[in-house]
Amino acid sequence: MKMENTNCVVCQKPKANLDCGICREHVCKKCAQFLDEDSFSFMKVVPAIVKHTVYCGPCYDQNVAPVLAKYEADIEKAKTISIFMTSDSKITSRFSRKEKAIEIKDCPDREEVLLRLGFLAVEAGYNALVDVEINHEKVKPGGKYQYTKWSGKGVPTQVTSSRFL
Ligand SMILES: [Zn+2]
Ligand SMILES: [Zn+2]
């Protein structure tokens, strides 16, 4: 029987017992890069290449780092996106509404709903959301602790007039 080479692909030390999700090479705990399963939870569709939990250094740098950098930049943009509520309809009546409304459910608070809506708008290339509606309901699963579940929707749009940004 042939002994399998289990040297770490990065530092070459033996008995590396993790596998890189992309190249499948062995990698030791010290050299591995770990990624949480919910690292990209704001994305509408998470690319398969960033769905692994263990990477060797080179695969991480080449495949995960750029996606993570863009993701973090998009979250920062999402924080500054212009939000117009349904009650702002006087201001927004002439805004374009070509996109379908996007919806977010099951968030722990209002801020997260807005941030997730904003992120999806940014991902789709927009800088604002109109007709935004935020809702919440109290839930009491099995008569135990009561908590509030937040949801919301809005239409992504591009606002060009600096008066509104
Ligand atoms: Zn190593
Ligand atoms: Zn690798």
Side-chain angles (χ1 to χ4, degrees), residues 8-13 16 26-32:
C8 170
V9 67
V10 182
C11 70
Q12 302 304 325
K13 286 199 181 120
H26 295 283
V27 60
C28 77
K29 220 172 169 178
K30 247 177 89 181
C31 298

